[in-house]
Amino acid sequence: MFMTRVHDFAKTESGRGPFIPTALANNPRAGQWTSKAMSHDMVADYKRFLMTDGEGIRCSVYVSGCPFHCEECFNSSIWDFQAGHPYTQDFEDAVIADLSNGFVQGITFLGGEPLLNTGVLLRLSRRIRSEFGHSKDIWCWTGYTWEELMRQGESPDKIELLHEVDVLVDGRYLKDQHDALLQFRGSRNQRIIDVPASFVAGKPVIWGGLHDQKRFIPEMYGKDRSAGEGAAS
């Protein structure tokens, strides 16, 4: 378990995203963190043909490095920007070959922090669009909120990558809002955003496929439990 102090680096900024600041993760100023300054173009992991990292059967690229340091982060082992293996042409070619399978719906970018690894992910995204157009969709997870990414002064490469993305899962993981019933995300503050629709609307538009689970307790179970435990006082 990594132990880290968390900071709000943007106390004086206006127009910040929902649930920010938080004492459970670092909160950057606009443009404070950039791929150019931080990324080493490293890939921590690559997984083929999953059904857990977005809709349909997908391939998932986990990039290295994340300074958000959310408490109880599931992927804290790849906070280090130098973890993993260098992104190579052979790796890129292998990803494209996997995506060429008709049963694969698309690719997912995770980490680490994808929007601080734009050098490699812009390159990969643009090749995907060149080879497949929009027949393969692109999902991306980020610790940034949509509103933070739209702040004046944020590095433009983040917006460039967003314009290649179809669906964005945004926001820090907040352990006090953890909910195992959520679809494709870990805490209730996080959103699944339709990126093209959000650019058109000028505000976050929730993905139309959202379908969180809801716990269902049959009425008969409640009656049986009450009979066994006795009436509530």
Side-chain angles (χ1 to χ4, degrees):
M1 173 67 182
F2 282 78
M3 299 299 294
T4 184
R5 293 180 61 192
V6 295
H7 303 275
D8 181 9
F9 297 103
K11 292 180 181 178
T12 62
E13 288 193 359
S14 60
R16 299 169 70 187
F19 301 98
I20 302 301
T22 173
L24 299 177
N26 285 321
N27 308 295
R29 296 185 299 271
Q32 179 182 6
W33 300 337
T34 67
S35 180
K36 183 177 181 180
M38 305 176 84
S39 177
H40 288 259
D41 295 346
M42 302 290 281
V43 175
D45 200 3
Y46 173 61
K47 297 180 180 179
R48 308 163 66 226
F49 313 146
L50 302 178
M51 298 184 69
T52 54
D53 293 340
E55 186 179 49
I57 299 174
R58 315 190 63 77
C59 297
S60 296
V61 176
Y62 291 76
V63 291
S64 302
C66 182
F68 282 108
H69 293 185
C70 301
E71 290 190 18
E72 299 186 9
C73 170
F74 186 73
N75 288 336
S76 59
S77 62
I78 56 173
W79 284 352
D80 185 349
F81 280 89
Q82 298 187 64
H85 305 279
Y87 183 99
T88 64
Q89 187 64 51
D90 286 344
F91 171 77
E92 181 180 300
D93 291 343
V95 172
I96 295 298
D98 289 338
L99 287 174
S100 69
N101 288 285
F103 60 83
V104 177
Q105 179 170 325
I107 194 164
T108 301
F109 301 149
L110 309 100
E113 175 49 60
L115 293 177
L116 293 174
N117 283 275
T118 56
V120 293
L121 294 182
L122 272 168
R123 169 179 163 180
L124 179 57
S125 298
R126 287 167 176 166
R127 183 169 175 196
I128 290 168
R129 294 307 187 201
S130 174
E131 303 242 357
F132 305 110
H134 286 269
S135 67
K136 306 292 181 179
D137 60 18
I138 299 176
W139 283 51
C140 182
W141 264 248
T142 182
Y144 286 96
T145 64
W146 176 270
E147 291 84 354
E148 287 176 311
L149 293 168
M150 298 300 119
R151 289 182 293 186
Q152 184 176 2
E154 196 49 79
S155 57
D157 57 306
K158 296 182 179 72
I159 303 301
E160 289 181 51
L161 182 57
L162 276 183
H163 276 291
E164 303 295 339
V165 170
D166 295 291
V167 178
L168 182 75
V169 182
D170 83 329
R172 330 280 198 269
Y173 169 71
L174 302 182
K175 65 178 183 179
D176 61 357
Q177 296 192 46
H178 176 79
D179 187 341
L181 298 178
L182 297 175
Q183 182 186 27
F184 303 135
R185 59 207 197 281
S187 57
R188 289 186 299 276
N189 60 297
Q190 296 171 316
R191 300 169 294 186
I192 307 179
I193 295 172
D194 181 327
V195 175
S198 297
F199 277 122
V200 171
K203 62 182 180 180
V205 175
I206 299 302
W207 175 58
L210 181 66
H211 184 68
D212 291 334
Q213 298 180 54
K214 295 184 178 178
R215 195 180 304 277
F216 174 67
I217 301 177
E219 182 181 358
M220 184 59 69
Y221 172 80
K223 291 179 179 178
D224 291 344
R225 181 176 178 183
S226 295
E229 296 178 352
S233 58

